[in-house]
Amino acid sequence: MRFPTSLLLGLALMLTPAYAQDQSIEDVISSQIDAFGAEDADKAFSYASPNIQNLFGTPEAFGMMVQNGYPMVQNPAELEYVDQITNGSYTLQRLRIQDQSGTDHWFAYEMIVIDGKWRINGVYRIEPIGLSA
């Protein structure tokens, strides 16, 4: 039995995971950090997943959480994107953020695809990468 080429192509496309096309993971994270630096809570909130948006409810509440819990994100001296780990439906982007006083902070950003776009679904503090006792 022969399958038409278009049917095989259609099946292959349906079975291929959906990847975001507009911006890379790094672009989304950098754009959110830039929005925080510009004190644009609405724009920063737009990069969060629906789960995060529902959790905080408003851009203002989200912005206050970042200001109080993650001040190094508002005006970092340096960002270093270290690596990505894909695990099923999400990708962890690990990065180092250096604050203005020169202190390094390590994070994992959980990234998911929503309607073809990468969105931030959580941020977790992690141990420094590549450093051992």
Side-chain angles (χ1 to χ4, degrees):
M1 177 186 249
R2 300 177 92 190
F3 287 99
T5 303
S6 60
L7 177 62
L8 290 175
L9 178 60
L11 286 171
L13 290 174
M14 287 174 40
L15 297 174
T16 302
Y19 292 103
Q21 299 296 319
D22 293 347
Q23 291 184 301
S24 70
I25 286 173
E26 294 88 352
D27 290 339
V28 170
I29 294 169
S30 292
S31 294
Q32 187 183 61
I33 290 171
D34 290 346
F36 283 129
E39 297 182 14
D40 188 344
D42 290 332
K43 187 167 186 171
F45 196 58
S46 75
Y47 295 107
S49 71
N51 292 338
I52 299 300
Q53 291 177 352
N54 289 333
L55 180 66
F56 290 98
T58 66
E60 293 77 22
F62 181 64
M64 289 302 297
M65 178 277 300
V66 171
Q67 184 177 4
N68 293 327
Y70 302 93
M72 70 289 294
V73 172
Q74 291 191 302
N75 187 24
E78 188 176 315
L79 293 174
E80 178 187 2
Y81 292 93
V82 180
D83 62 6
Q84 293 179 358
I85 302 166
T86 299
N87 187 3
S89 62
Y90 67 90
T91 297
L92 288 179
Q93 172 65 63
R94 299 191 303 178
L95 67 144
R96 178 186 60 83
I97 297 176
Q98 186 177 83
D99 64 24
Q100 291 296 320
S101 69
T103 303
D104 289 337
H105 305 270
W106 295 84
F107 295 97
Y109 276 66
E110 181 181 313
M111 305 296 295
I112 60 174
V113 176
I114 303 290
D115 296 330
K117 297 179 181 180
W118 287 110
R119 293 292 173 246
I120 300 166
N121 197 48
V123 178
Y124 313 97
R125 290 181 186 265
I126 59 173
E127 293 297 316
I129 298 170
L131 302 177
S132 58

